[in-house]
Structure formats: structure tokens, C-alpha cells
Amino acid sequence: MPLQIAPEKVAQVIVRAREFDSKVARWDGPGDSRDSDSILESRSGDATEAELREFIRGLNEDEQASLVAVMWIGRDSFDASELEEAIATARAEATGPTDDYLLGVPLLSDFLEDGLDALGISVEDAEQGIL
């Protein structure tokens, strides 16, 4: 069974997850001015997380299961040769929203990138046009 999500969609999640992962919690108080030190702080109204969640929710069931499988392969929970089993397991074990699960995984973008690499898919090619 081949991957059931376009590599470009995985790359879109990687790019957004990198942006999300680079955010840090606010340390200053309301009314403090934004400056170069606060650019990467999470602020109310920051759309990065919402956009990433919406994108993942917009994927069909097969795409979501494949996205989880790619992450698991990148995390070494499965070998690339076990893609079919990883997708089937992702479908069987899905008990909650996929976006909640994936955004709770530390290093999500790294695992997705490593998963694509393990599957022989060029992350750089998949990211063309996204960045």
C-alpha cells in the first residue's frame, strides 16, 4: 500500500509545525510593546496553531492515518517497510482528533521530515512552492 497522502501535504504540516514549535510562551505582561525579542512569542490571536489544526482536520481519514504513520516511521515506532501496518494501526488506534494527537507530539516536524526521508521522499522537493 502506498502512502495515502501527497508529500506536499506532509510538507505543509512540517512547515507549519516548525513555525508552531518555534513559538515560546509569553513572558511579558499585557501592554508591553512587541519588539525583536518577542517576535517568536505566542500571542493571543496567533493563527499558526489554528491554521495547522484546520489543515489537519481538513485531511480525509486516509490522509490523516498516513500522516500519523509517517510521524511514527520518523520516530522509529515503525520501519519504512512497515508503512501499510503503520497506516492500519493509525486507523485502528484513532480515538480522538488527529490534530490534538499530532500537536501533542514534541518534535513533530522533525519526525515527519525523518519519516518522509525514510520512505525515500525528498522533503526539499515536497516543500517547493510552500516556503
Side-chain angles (χ1 to χ4, degrees):
M1 171 188 307
L3 190 60
Q4 298 175 357
I5 185 171
E8 294 78 15
K9 289 183 177 183
V10 179
Q12 180 72 33
V13 174
I14 291 169
V15 169
R16 287 290 184 204
R18 278 188 203 135
E19 292 172 8
F20 178 68
D21 288 344
S22 69
K23 301 285 181 171
V24 296
R26 283 189 63 169
W27 60 269
D28 54 351
D32 289 349
S33 65
R34 294 182 184 184
D35 58 23
S36 61
D37 294 334
S38 66
I39 290 172
L40 293 179
E41 289 179 4
S42 291
R43 300 213 175 247
S44 60
D46 182 0
T48 305
E49 180 179 357
E51 288 173 3
L52 181 54
R53 286 184 180 279
E54 185 178 328
F55 184 81
I56 293 170
R57 286 180 191 145
L59 299 173
N60 67 41
E61 221 172 271
D62 291 336
E63 291 172 322
Q64 289 184 14
S66 287
L67 186 62
V68 170
V70 169
M71 187 275 296
W72 283 343
I73 289 168
R75 191 176 66 183
D76 292 329
S77 298
F78 288 85
D79 187 76
S81 65
E82 300 170 313
L83 175 61
E84 188 172 334
E85 180 184 349
I87 292 171
T89 302
R91 276 196 195 102
E93 293 186 2
T95 58
T98 303
D99 59 305
D100 287 345
Y101 173 67
L102 289 174
L103 291 181
V105 174
L107 304 173
L108 174 62
S109 60
D110 292 340
F111 290 144
L112 289 172
E113 194 168 332
D114 291 347
L116 285 181
D117 284 341
L119 292 166
I121 299 170
S122 168
V123 176
E124 290 77 22
D125 289 349
E127 286 181 342
Q128 282 188 340
I130 294 173
L131 299 176

PDB file of all heavy atoms in Angstrom, residues 43-68:
ATOM      1  N   ARG A  43       1.174  34.717  21.061  1.00  0.00           N
ATOM      2  CA  ARG A  43       0.309  35.800  21.480  1.00  0.00           C
ATOM      3  C   ARG A  43      -1.128  35.412  21.172  1.00  0.00           C
ATOM      4  O   ARG A  43      -1.385  34.682  20.232  1.00  0.00           O
ATOM      5  CB  ARG A  43       0.657  37.092  20.744  1.00  0.00           C
ATOM      6  CG  ARG A  43       2.083  37.531  21.014  1.00  0.00           C
ATOM      7  CD  ARG A  43       2.166  39.031  20.997  1.00  0.00           C
ATOM      8  NE  ARG A  43       3.507  39.441  21.372  1.00  0.00           N
ATOM      9  CZ  ARG A  43       3.790  40.076  22.490  1.00  0.00           C
ATOM     10  NH1 ARG A  43       2.853  40.357  23.338  1.00  0.00           N
ATOM     11  NH2 ARG A  43       5.019  40.430  22.770  1.00  0.00           N
ATOM     12  N   SER A  44      -2.043  35.923  21.971  1.00  0.00           N
ATOM     13  CA  SER A  44      -3.441  35.633  21.673  1.00  0.00           C
ATOM     14  C   SER A  44      -3.731  36.139  20.273  1.00  0.00           C
ATOM     15  O   SER A  44      -3.241  37.181  19.858  1.00  0.00           O
ATOM     16  CB  SER A  44      -4.350  36.304  22.700  1.00  0.00           C
ATOM     17  OG  SER A  44      -4.153  37.697  22.678  1.00  0.00           O
ATOM     18  N   GLY A  45      -4.498  35.391  19.541  1.00  0.00           N
ATOM     19  CA  GLY A  45      -4.793  35.764  18.166  1.00  0.00           C
ATOM     20  C   GLY A  45      -3.775  35.244  17.169  1.00  0.00           C
ATOM     21  O   GLY A  45      -3.926  35.437  15.972  1.00  0.00           O
ATOM     22  N   ASP A  46      -2.709  34.580  17.634  1.00  0.00           N
ATOM     23  CA  ASP A  46      -1.708  34.000  16.739  1.00  0.00           C
ATOM     24  C   ASP A  46      -2.373  32.867  15.973  1.00  0.00           C
ATOM     25  O   ASP A  46      -2.898  31.932  16.563  1.00  0.00           O
ATOM     26  CB  ASP A  46      -0.519  33.487  17.545  1.00  0.00           C
ATOM     27  CG  ASP A  46       0.593  32.919  16.677  1.00  0.00           C
ATOM     28  OD1 ASP A  46       0.445  32.920  15.441  1.00  0.00           O
ATOM     29  OD2 ASP A  46       1.599  32.474  17.232  1.00  0.00           O
ATOM     30  N   ALA A  47      -2.336  32.941  14.667  1.00  0.00           N
ATOM     31  CA  ALA A  47      -3.085  31.990  13.842  1.00  0.00           C
ATOM     32  C   ALA A  47      -2.321  30.711  13.520  1.00  0.00           C
ATOM     33  O   ALA A  47      -2.898  29.800  12.941  1.00  0.00           O
ATOM     34  CB  ALA A  47      -3.495  32.680  12.547  1.00  0.00           C
ATOM     35  N   THR A  48      -1.052  30.604  13.884  1.00  0.00           N
ATOM     36  CA  THR A  48      -0.249  29.440  13.490  1.00  0.00           C
ATOM     37  C   THR A  48      -0.879  28.130  13.930  1.00  0.00           C
ATOM     38  O   THR A  48      -1.077  27.221  13.117  1.00  0.00           O
ATOM     39  CB  THR A  48       1.184  29.546  14.049  1.00  0.00           C
ATOM     40  OG1 THR A  48       1.758  30.774  13.630  1.00  0.00           O
ATOM     41  CG2 THR A  48       2.040  28.404  13.563  1.00  0.00           C
ATOM     42  N   GLU A  49      -1.205  27.998  15.202  1.00  0.00           N
ATOM     43  CA  GLU A  49      -1.781  26.750  15.699  1.00  0.00           C
ATOM     44  C   GLU A  49      -3.145  26.496  15.071  1.00  0.00           C
ATOM     45  O   GLU A  49      -3.445  25.372  14.648  1.00  0.00           O
ATOM     46  CB  GLU A  49      -1.904  26.765  17.223  1.00  0.00           C
ATOM     47  CG  GLU A  49      -2.513  25.476  17.758  1.00  0.00           C
ATOM     48  CD  GLU A  49      -2.642  25.445  19.275  1.00  0.00           C
ATOM     49  OE1 GLU A  49      -2.215  26.388  19.958  1.00  0.00           O
ATOM     50  OE2 GLU A  49      -3.191  24.442  19.768  1.00  0.00           O
ATOM     51  N   ALA A  50      -3.971  27.519  14.988  1.00  0.00           N
ATOM     52  CA  ALA A  50      -5.308  27.351  14.419  1.00  0.00           C
ATOM     53  C   ALA A  50      -5.238  26.911  12.955  1.00  0.00           C
ATOM     54  O   ALA A  50      -5.997  26.038  12.528  1.00  0.00           O
ATOM     55  CB  ALA A  50      -6.100  28.655  14.538  1.00  0.00           C
ATOM     56  N   GLU A  51      -4.326  27.501  12.206  1.00  0.00           N
ATOM     57  CA  GLU A  51      -4.175  27.126  10.796  1.00  0.00           C
ATOM     58  C   GLU A  51      -3.704  25.686  10.656  1.00  0.00           C
ATOM     59  O   GLU A  51      -4.180  24.947   9.787  1.00  0.00           O
ATOM     60  CB  GLU A  51      -3.192  28.058  10.093  1.00  0.00           C
ATOM     61  CG  GLU A  51      -3.740  29.446   9.862  1.00  0.00           C
ATOM     62  CD  GLU A  51      -2.695  30.414   9.323  1.00  0.00           C
ATOM     63  OE1 GLU A  51      -1.544  29.996   9.069  1.00  0.00           O
ATOM     64  OE2 GLU A  51      -3.029  31.596   9.166  1.00  0.00           O
ATOM     65  N   LEU A  52      -2.777  25.272  11.509  1.00  0.00           N
ATOM     66  CA  LEU A  52      -2.268  23.903  11.457  1.00  0.00           C
ATOM     67  C   LEU A  52      -3.373  22.914  11.819  1.00  0.00           C
ATOM     68  O   LEU A  52      -3.566  21.907  11.134  1.00  0.00           O
ATOM     69  CB  LEU A  52      -1.067  23.747  12.394  1.00  0.00           C
ATOM     70  CG  LEU A  52      -0.402  22.374  12.449  1.00  0.00           C
ATOM     71  CD1 LEU A  52      -0.010  21.885  11.056  1.00  0.00           C
ATOM     72  CD2 LEU A  52       0.828  22.424  13.355  1.00  0.00           C
ATOM     73  N   ARG A  53      -4.116  23.216  12.873  1.00  0.00           N
ATOM     74  CA  ARG A  53      -5.233  22.347  13.263  1.00  0.00           C
ATOM     75  C   ARG A  53      -6.268  22.244  12.142  1.00  0.00           C
ATOM     76  O   ARG A  53      -6.753  21.160  11.824  1.00  0.00           O
ATOM     77  CB  ARG A  53      -5.902  22.861  14.535  1.00  0.00           C
ATOM     78  CG  ARG A  53      -5.094  22.614  15.778  1.00  0.00           C
ATOM     79  CD  ARG A  53      -5.856  23.060  17.036  1.00  0.00           C
ATOM     80  NE  ARG A  53      -5.065  22.809  18.212  1.00  0.00           N
ATOM     81  CZ  ARG A  53      -4.961  21.629  18.807  1.00  0.00           C
ATOM     82  NH1 ARG A  53      -5.620  20.599  18.333  1.00  0.00           N
ATOM     83  NH2 ARG A  53      -4.216  21.486  19.884  1.00  0.00           N
ATOM     84  N   GLU A  54      -6.616  23.363  11.556  1.00  0.00           N
ATOM     85  CA  GLU A  54      -7.611  23.383  10.478  1.00  0.00           C
ATOM     86  C   GLU A  54      -7.129  22.570   9.279  1.00  0.00           C
ATOM     87  O   GLU A  54      -7.907  21.824   8.672  1.00  0.00           O
ATOM     88  CB  GLU A  54      -7.903  24.824  10.065  1.00  0.00           C
ATOM     89  CG  GLU A  54      -8.997  24.950   9.034  1.00  0.00           C
ATOM     90  CD  GLU A  54      -9.308  26.400   8.679  1.00  0.00           C
ATOM     91  OE1 GLU A  54      -9.187  27.282   9.551  1.00  0.00           O
ATOM     92  OE2 GLU A  54      -9.665  26.641   7.513  1.00  0.00           O
ATOM     93  N   PHE A  55      -5.856  22.692   8.946  1.00  0.00           N
ATOM     94  CA  PHE A  55      -5.305  21.943   7.820  1.00  0.00           C
ATOM     95  C   PHE A  55      -5.399  20.439   8.080  1.00  0.00           C
ATOM     96  O   PHE A  55      -5.839  19.671   7.220  1.00  0.00           O
ATOM     97  CB  PHE A  55      -3.848  22.354   7.554  1.00  0.00           C
ATOM     98  CG  PHE A  55      -3.261  21.691   6.350  1.00  0.00           C
ATOM     99  CD1 PHE A  55      -3.512  22.178   5.076  1.00  0.00           C
ATOM    100  CD2 PHE A  55      -2.469  20.562   6.477  1.00  0.00           C
ATOM    101  CE1 PHE A  55      -2.988  21.547   3.955  1.00  0.00           C
ATOM    102  CE2 PHE A  55      -1.938  19.922   5.374  1.00  0.00           C
ATOM    103  CZ  PHE A  55      -2.196  20.422   4.099  1.00  0.00           C
ATOM    104  N   ILE A  56      -4.995  20.003   9.278  1.00  0.00           N
ATOM    105  CA  ILE A  56      -5.028  18.572   9.609  1.00  0.00           C
ATOM    106  C   ILE A  56      -6.472  18.068   9.637  1.00  0.00           C
ATOM    107  O   ILE A  56      -6.772  16.990   9.119  1.00  0.00           O
ATOM    108  CB  ILE A  56      -4.307  18.300  10.947  1.00  0.00           C
ATOM    109  CG1 ILE A  56      -2.811  18.587  10.802  1.00  0.00           C
ATOM    110  CG2 ILE A  56      -4.536  16.860  11.410  1.00  0.00           C
ATOM    111  CD1 ILE A  56      -2.032  18.594  12.109  1.00  0.00           C
ATOM    112  N   ARG A  57      -7.382  18.860  10.210  1.00  0.00           N
ATOM    113  CA  ARG A  57      -8.795  18.459  10.250  1.00  0.00           C
ATOM    114  C   ARG A  57      -9.389  18.356   8.853  1.00  0.00           C
ATOM    115  O   ARG A  57     -10.323  17.579   8.633  1.00  0.00           O
ATOM    116  CB  ARG A  57      -9.613  19.455  11.073  1.00  0.00           C
ATOM    117  CG  ARG A  57      -9.391  19.349  12.542  1.00  0.00           C
ATOM    118  CD  ARG A  57     -10.245  20.365  13.285  1.00  0.00           C
ATOM    119  NE  ARG A  57      -9.830  20.438  14.665  1.00  0.00           N
ATOM    120  CZ  ARG A  57      -9.840  21.553  15.384  1.00  0.00           C
ATOM    121  NH1 ARG A  57     -10.245  22.690  14.845  1.00  0.00           N
ATOM    122  NH2 ARG A  57      -9.446  21.532  16.644  1.00  0.00           N
ATOM    123  N   GLY A  58      -8.870  19.139   7.923  1.00  0.00           N
ATOM    124  CA  GLY A  58      -9.371  19.143   6.550  1.00  0.00           C
ATOM    125  C   GLY A  58      -8.922  17.939   5.732  1.00  0.00           C
ATOM    126  O   GLY A  58      -9.444  17.700   4.644  1.00  0.00           O
ATOM    127  N   LEU A  59      -7.956  17.190   6.252  1.00  0.00           N
ATOM    128  CA  LEU A  59      -7.499  15.988   5.553  1.00  0.00           C
ATOM    129  C   LEU A  59      -8.539  14.890   5.712  1.00  0.00           C
ATOM    130  O   LEU A  59      -9.202  14.801   6.746  1.00  0.00           O
ATOM    131  CB  LEU A  59      -6.161  15.511   6.135  1.00  0.00           C
ATOM    132  CG  LEU A  59      -4.975  16.468   6.035  1.00  0.00           C
ATOM    133  CD1 LEU A  59      -3.782  15.908   6.810  1.00  0.00           C
ATOM    134  CD2 LEU A  59      -4.602  16.736   4.590  1.00  0.00           C
ATOM    135  N   ASN A  60      -8.668  14.025   4.701  1.00  0.00           N
ATOM    136  CA  ASN A  60      -9.605  12.910   4.851  1.00  0.00           C
ATOM    137  C   ASN A  60      -8.992  11.855   5.783  1.00  0.00           C
ATOM    138  O   ASN A  60      -7.831  11.955   6.180  1.00  0.00           O
ATOM    139  CB  ASN A  60     -10.028  12.335   3.494  1.00  0.00           C
ATOM    140  CG  ASN A  60      -8.900  11.644   2.755  1.00  0.00           C
ATOM    141  OD1 ASN A  60      -8.089  10.924   3.339  1.00  0.00           O
ATOM    142  ND2 ASN A  60      -8.856  11.837   1.446  1.00  0.00           N
ATOM    143  N   GLU A  61      -9.778  10.849   6.129  1.00  0.00           N
ATOM    144  CA  GLU A  61      -9.357   9.830   7.089  1.00  0.00           C
ATOM    145  C   GLU A  61      -8.079   9.096   6.651  1.00  0.00           C
ATOM    146  O   GLU A  61      -7.192   8.835   7.465  1.00  0.00           O
ATOM    147  CB  GLU A  61     -10.489   8.810   7.261  1.00  0.00           C
ATOM    148  CG  GLU A  61     -10.716   8.354   8.667  1.00  0.00           C
ATOM    149  CD  GLU A  61     -11.965   7.501   8.775  1.00  0.00           C
ATOM    150  OE1 GLU A  61     -13.043   8.072   8.995  1.00  0.00           O
ATOM    151  OE2 GLU A  61     -11.835   6.264   8.631  1.00  0.00           O
ATOM    152  N   ASP A  62      -8.002   8.752   5.363  1.00  0.00           N
ATOM    153  CA  ASP A  62      -6.816   8.066   4.841  1.00  0.00           C
ATOM    154  C   ASP A  62      -5.575   8.951   4.959  1.00  0.00           C
ATOM    155  O   ASP A  62      -4.497   8.476   5.320  1.00  0.00           O
ATOM    156  CB  ASP A  62      -7.011   7.645   3.378  1.00  0.00           C
ATOM    157  CG  ASP A  62      -8.037   6.536   3.214  1.00  0.00           C
ATOM    158  OD1 ASP A  62      -8.274   5.787   4.181  1.00  0.00           O
ATOM    159  OD2 ASP A  62      -8.597   6.427   2.111  1.00  0.00           O
ATOM    160  N   GLU A  63      -5.740  10.230   4.632  1.00  0.00           N
ATOM    161  CA  GLU A  63      -4.613  11.158   4.720  1.00  0.00           C
ATOM    162  C   GLU A  63      -4.158  11.337   6.167  1.00  0.00           C
ATOM    163  O   GLU A  63      -2.967  11.365   6.453  1.00  0.00           O
ATOM    164  CB  GLU A  63      -4.993  12.516   4.114  1.00  0.00           C
ATOM    165  CG  GLU A  63      -5.170  12.478   2.609  1.00  0.00           C
ATOM    166  CD  GLU A  63      -5.723  13.780   2.041  1.00  0.00           C
ATOM    167  OE1 GLU A  63      -6.603  14.404   2.696  1.00  0.00           O
ATOM    168  OE2 GLU A  63      -5.289  14.163   0.945  1.00  0.00           O
ATOM    169  N   GLN A  64      -5.104  11.453   7.082  1.00  0.00           N
ATOM    170  CA  GLN A  64      -4.752  11.607   8.496  1.00  0.00           C
ATOM    171  C   GLN A  64      -4.017  10.375   9.005  1.00  0.00           C
ATOM    172  O   GLN A  64      -3.020  10.497   9.712  1.00  0.00           O
ATOM    173  CB  GLN A  64      -5.995  11.883   9.341  1.00  0.00           C
ATOM    174  CG  GLN A  64      -6.571  13.267   9.120  1.00  0.00           C
ATOM    175  CD  GLN A  64      -7.752  13.569  10.026  1.00  0.00           C
ATOM    176  OE1 GLN A  64      -8.013  12.863  10.998  1.00  0.00           O
ATOM    177  NE2 GLN A  64      -8.475  14.630   9.713  1.00  0.00           N
ATOM    178  N   ALA A  65      -4.498   9.187   8.646  1.00  0.00           N
ATOM    179  CA  ALA A  65      -3.837   7.950   9.080  1.00  0.00           C
ATOM    180  C   ALA A  65      -2.432   7.870   8.490  1.00  0.00           C
ATOM    181  O   ALA A  65      -1.482   7.465   9.180  1.00  0.00           O
ATOM    182  CB  ALA A  65      -4.662   6.731   8.667  1.00  0.00           C
ATOM    183  N   SER A  66      -2.267   8.276   7.249  1.00  0.00           N
ATOM    184  CA  SER A  66      -0.943   8.254   6.619  1.00  0.00           C
ATOM    185  C   SER A  66      -0.011   9.270   7.262  1.00  0.00           C
ATOM    186  O   SER A  66       1.176   9.006   7.443  1.00  0.00           O
ATOM    187  CB  SER A  66      -1.064   8.537   5.113  1.00  0.00           C
ATOM    188  OG  SER A  66      -1.620   7.429   4.439  1.00  0.00           O
ATOM    189  N   LEU A  67      -0.545  10.427   7.627  1.00  0.00           N
ATOM    190  CA  LEU A  67       0.259  11.456   8.290  1.00  0.00           C
ATOM    191  C   LEU A  67       0.785  10.932   9.633  1.00  0.00           C
ATOM    192  O   LEU A  67       1.973  11.079   9.946  1.00  0.00           O
ATOM    193  CB  LEU A  67      -0.574  12.722   8.496  1.00  0.00           C
ATOM    194  CG  LEU A  67       0.136  13.941   9.051  1.00  0.00           C
ATOM    195  CD1 LEU A  67       1.248  14.412   8.116  1.00  0.00           C
ATOM    196  CD2 LEU A  67      -0.863  15.067   9.286  1.00  0.00           C
ATOM    197  N   VAL A  68      -0.078  10.282  10.396  1.00  0.00           N
ATOM    198  CA  VAL A  68       0.338   9.690  11.669  1.00  0.00           C
ATOM    199  C   VAL A  68       1.382   8.601  11.415  1.00  0.00           C
ATOM    200  O   VAL A  68       2.398   8.513  12.117  1.00  0.00           O
ATOM    201  CB  VAL A  68      -0.870   9.137  12.456  1.00  0.00           C
ATOM    202  CG1 VAL A  68      -0.422   8.313  13.655  1.00  0.00           C
ATOM    203  CG2 VAL A  68      -1.779  10.275  12.910  1.00  0.00           C
TER     204      VAL A  68
END
